[in-house]
Amino acid sequence: MPTPEELAEEGIISREERNERIRAVLATLADFKTLRQAERNRREYRNLLLSDLCKHYKYNEFLMSQLMEIMPYGELIDLLDAQETRRPVTIRANSLKTRRRDLAQTLISRGVNLDPIGKWSKVGLVVYSTTVPLGATPEYLAGHYMLQGASSFIPVMGLDPKPGERVLDMCAAPGGKSAYLAALMKNTGMLLSNDASKERTKALTANLHRLGVHNAIVCNYDGLAFPKVMGNFDRVLLDAPCSGSGVVSKDPSVKQSKDEAEILKIAEMQKKLLLAAIDSTDHTSKTGGYIVYSTCSVLVQENEWVVDYALKRRHVKLEPLGVDVGKNGFTRINKYRFDKSMSLTKRYYPHTHNMDGFFVAKLKKLSSAVKTVKETEKSQTSDGEEEEEEEEMEEENVAEEVEDNGEEMEEESGGLTDSDKEEETVPVVKKEKVVSEESAQSSSKRTKVKKGKQSKKEKSTDCDSALIPL
């Protein structure tokens, strides 16, 4: 590892040399006690790794540091390499007009090399190569399929709309998710496809017409207006605007353009939109009452933090997504703690699932009332009490081990003779007093430790305090 003076004097080094140093630092961090230099600490290695990764992959320091916190060092390079190449082209067979098997046979006959996307999807196809433009085939123009990323199937599958329901797609353009919702609803009920951008509603309308959707209404409202404009939907899909940190391969400008201030600004908007989506949902619906929140970002600030914010301010709970693919969301990361049910959310990564980085959460609305400050504090204190109980259990286990060790020491000391007993008569009384004093001291120490832990918890950063309050 180079010294700070050597780094300051270091000129331009080749990508191969920098890549070798990155691999060496990662190997050292994986087995730090054995491979570290005696005079260097972990922070120095981490700072060198951060600097080299930013230069090698051309990220800003904030975004790279966030990725380093989310991903284990063993997977970090795989994620960054996967973000450098685009994901495979995927298409969704439109069940309103055709079946996936028939569509696959037709496209194969036209020179398209494809396969089913996986067992988790009944309508997806992944395209490896093609001799014809997929956006200009007769099947595409007839609305038999939609060019759509694999990860964007999952929010719709998680929402699982039923025929005859009232469904809101709050950020619908360009229409791939709305058309999938209409197909699952079998063109019945009412689908409100909204987008805040009037320009984007043109592509939304065109795609819905091409795909044969008849139960949709296209509108142009700010998503925050929906509880007042129209509400009582059975299900709401919110694919929120985000930083795009999961789709860097499509937009490399994200590497430099998204700083901390920008991420916090986006997170504030996402929190407002999610509360609006919840308020637009009918909790008395016999078949629904569900909200699905999704982003094409892998940052915690736009995902778990936003959902945790909604859990504390509305009467909702997280539900299983019902899709057998994806990693569980974070319940804790670094100094932040989220609701334990956050493990029901799903995360998707390019290097693991070969699809764009994505986050999906499914919520069930329990009541239309807004949580009061007391209710929010009560839920926070109950979570804190559970953590305290776990810590107390650990302390009791440690105390029991200490007592057991003391008993074993007494048994190993063996029996005493009569003369020894006479000699030990007075000291035994003194020992009992000493033991009682020690037990009193230990109990006082435990209370001090508990108070110290409580004060530490009060000082620890809450998820919402790191974000801009509403």
Side-chain angles (χ1 to χ4, degrees), residues 13-235:
I13 63 174
S14 65
R15 288 182 61 85
E16 290 75 15
E17 291 175 336
R18 195 179 300 280
N19 188 39
E20 288 179 5
R21 190 162 70 186
I22 289 171
R23 304 283 178 180
V25 172
L26 287 171
T28 303
L29 290 171
D31 190 6
F32 192 69
K33 290 183 179 180
T34 306
L35 300 177
R36 65 184 285 259
Q37 294 180 11
E39 67 279 4
R40 298 304 179 85
N41 57 37
R42 188 182 292 272
R43 181 177 294 179
E44 290 179 305
Y45 280 94
R46 187 186 181 280
N47 290 340
L48 177 61
L49 178 63
L50 174 61
S51 175
D52 282 345
L53 288 175
C54 289
K55 294 175 182 176
H56 190 76
Y57 292 98
K58 295 180 174 55
Y59 282 76
N60 63 44
E61 285 194 4
F62 169 75
L63 192 55
M64 182 59 72
S65 64
Q66 295 300 306
L67 296 178
M68 289 175 67
E69 290 181 358
I70 293 169
M71 301 302 300
Y73 289 145
E75 295 185 39
L76 180 61
I77 300 300
D78 294 335
L79 172 64
L80 295 173
D81 287 338
Q83 292 274 44
E84 296 298 304
T85 56
R86 302 198 69 166
R87 299 302 97 212
V89 176
T90 54
I91 61 176
R92 179 184 60 81
N94 182 17
S95 59
L96 294 175
K97 291 192 173 186
T98 186
R99 294 185 303 176
R100 182 171 69 172
R101 179 184 299 176
D102 298 336
L103 175 64
Q105 291 176 350
T106 304
L107 292 178
I108 289 171
S109 66
R110 295 188 183 279
V112 181
N113 182 18
L114 50 78
D115 271 327
I117 203 169
K119 294 181 180 180
W120 57 272
S121 174
K122 297 180 180 179
V123 294
L125 292 166
V126 56
V127 178
Y128 301 113
S129 62
T130 178
T131 58
V132 294
L134 291 175
T137 63
E139 288 73 29
Y140 176 84
L141 299 175
H144 288 193
Y145 65 89
M146 178 76 177
L147 287 164
Q148 192 171 348
S151 54
S152 64
F153 296 0
I154 297 168
V156 179
M157 295 170 65
L159 190 63
D160 191 24
K162 306 299 180 185
E165 289 185 335
R166 287 163 48 92
V167 179
L168 168 64
D169 187 357
M170 192 173 278
C171 305
K177 297 183 187 69
S178 277
Y180 195 4
L181 289 169
L184 294 178
M185 296 167 68
K186 302 186 187 304
N187 250 344
T188 63
M190 190 272 286
L191 171 63
L192 197 64
S193 299
N194 175 73
D195 201 89
S197 170
K198 189 173 182 180
E199 187 65 25
R200 285 166 61 85
T201 58
K202 297 177 182 179
L204 171 61
T205 304
N207 279 320
L208 293 179
H209 277 300
R210 180 176 62 82
L211 295 165
V213 175
H214 303 312
N215 65 336
I217 300 171
V218 176
C219 59
N220 171 223
Y221 281 103
D222 184 348
L224 300 177
F226 261 94
K228 297 179 181 178
V229 173
M230 187 179 295
N232 295 325
F233 291 95
D234 295 303
R235 299 172 195 254

Side-chain angles (χ1 to χ4, degrees), residues 101-395:
R101 179 184 299 176
D102 298 336
L103 175 64
Q105 291 176 350
T106 304
L107 292 178
I108 289 171
S109 66
R110 295 188 183 279
V112 181
N113 182 18
L114 50 78
D115 271 327
I117 203 169
K119 294 181 180 180
W120 57 272
S121 174
K122 297 180 180 179
V123 294
L125 292 166
V126 56
V127 178
Y128 301 113
S129 62
T130 178
T131 58
V132 294
L134 291 175
T137 63
E139 288 73 29
Y140 176 84
L141 299 175
H144 288 193
Y145 65 89
M146 178 76 177
L147 287 164
Q148 192 171 348
S151 54
S152 64
F153 296 0
I154 297 168
V156 179
M157 295 170 65
L159 190 63
D160 191 24
K162 306 299 180 185
E165 289 185 335
R166 287 163 48 92
V167 179
L168 168 64
D169 187 357
M170 192 173 278
C171 305
K177 297 183 187 69
S178 277
Y180 195 4
L181 289 169
L184 294 178
M185 296 167 68
K186 302 186 187 304
N187 250 344
T188 63
M190 190 272 286
L191 171 63
L192 197 64
S193 299
N194 175 73
D195 201 89
S197 170
K198 189 173 182 180
E199 187 65 25
R200 285 166 61 85
T201 58
K202 297 177 182 179
L204 171 61
T205 304
N207 279 320
L208 293 179
H209 277 300
R210 180 176 62 82
L211 295 165
V213 175
H214 303 312
N215 65 336
I217 300 171
V218 176
C219 59
N220 171 223
Y221 281 103
D222 184 348
L224 300 177
F226 261 94
K228 297 179 181 178
V229 173
M230 187 179 295
N232 295 325
F233 291 95
D234 295 303
R235 299 172 195 254
V236 176
L237 173 61
L238 172 59
D239 185 31
C242 65
S243 65
S245 61
V247 290
V248 174
S249 59
K250 294 180 180 178
D251 184 13
S253 65
V254 173
K255 296 179 181 182
Q256 294 292 333
S257 62
K258 305 301 179 184
D259 57 7
E260 186 174 7
E262 181 72 14
I263 297 300
L264 293 178
K265 183 179 178 181
I266 293 170
E268 181 189 8
M269 176 185 61
Q270 291 166 337
K271 290 190 294 183
K272 292 179 180 179
L273 285 172
L274 181 53
L275 294 185
I278 294 170
D279 294 339
S280 302
T281 308
D282 182 12
H283 73 281
T284 63
S285 172
K286 295 180 180 179
T287 59
Y290 294 102
I291 306 99
V292 165
Y293 171 80
S294 64
T295 69
C296 56
S297 172
V298 296
L299 300 183
V300 176
Q301 292 92 327
E302 301 178 77
N303 298 324
E304 284 87 352
W305 279 5
V306 175
V307 175
D308 192 72
Y309 178 88
L311 291 174
K312 292 175 180 176
R313 284 156 179 79
R314 295 293 187 271
H315 291 280
V316 292
K317 67 174 183 178
L318 283 164
E319 293 278 326
L321 193 60
V323 182
D324 297 330
V325 64
K327 291 186 174 182
N328 295 340
F330 295 115
T331 57
R332 58 172 59 191
I333 179 169
N334 296 331
K335 58 186 177 181
Y336 300 108
R337 302 293 181 266
F338 305 112
D339 192 280
K340 291 184 177 180
S341 61
M342 202 66 69
S343 60
L344 297 174
T345 63
K346 292 294 182 183
R347 285 178 154 267
Y348 302 90
Y349 299 108
H351 68 290
T352 305
H353 307 100
N354 202 20
M355 60 178 74
D356 293 327
F358 231 74
F359 173 85
V360 187
K362 184 176 183 179
L363 297 160
K364 169 72 174 176
K365 187 174 181 180
L366 305 176
S367 170
S368 59
V370 177
K371 276 189 177 180
T372 61
V373 177
K374 290 183 178 180
E375 289 175 326
T376 303
E377 291 176 351
K378 186 178 179 181
S379 63
Q380 290 175 350
T381 53
S382 63
D383 293 339
E385 287 174 359
E386 289 179 1
E387 291 181 2
E388 286 179 6
E389 288 176 1
E390 292 176 359
E391 291 176 355
E392 287 176 3
M393 288 289 290
E394 291 178 0
E395 289 177 359

